[in-house]
Amino acid sequence: MPPALYSLVEQVEGLAVCSFCMCSGGIIAPCTTDQEEVVTNDWRPSKRNDPYSNSGIV
């Protein structure tokens, strides 16, 4: 899969909402270090041959 050809940018109550990081052949992975946090990241095999893709919204 090629990189995403889209982006999302919006202002909500003075805060920015945007898309980032299209990862073809990757998965979302939890990486929280504290019980009060919700943190994710992504990774993909070096061959990028996983059938899934992911992207993020912040």
Side-chain angles (χ1 to χ4, degrees):
M1 264 194 191
L5 299 176
Y6 68 88
S7 67
L8 168 76
V9 179
E10 184 65 49
Q11 289 284 323
V12 177
E13 297 179 11
L15 300 174
V17 177
C18 60
S19 59
F20 75 101
C21 190
M22 172 57 177
C23 182
S24 57
I27 64 166
I28 295 174
C31 56
T32 301
T33 59
D34 188 295
Q35 287 185 332
E36 301 299 316
E37 294 178 342
V38 177
V39 181
T40 62
N41 206 337
D42 68 325
W43 68 273
R44 65 178 169 245
S46 60
K47 292 182 180 181
R48 296 184 180 189
N49 61 354
D50 197 79
Y52 305 103
S53 294
N54 65 60
S55 62
I57 303 291
V58 176

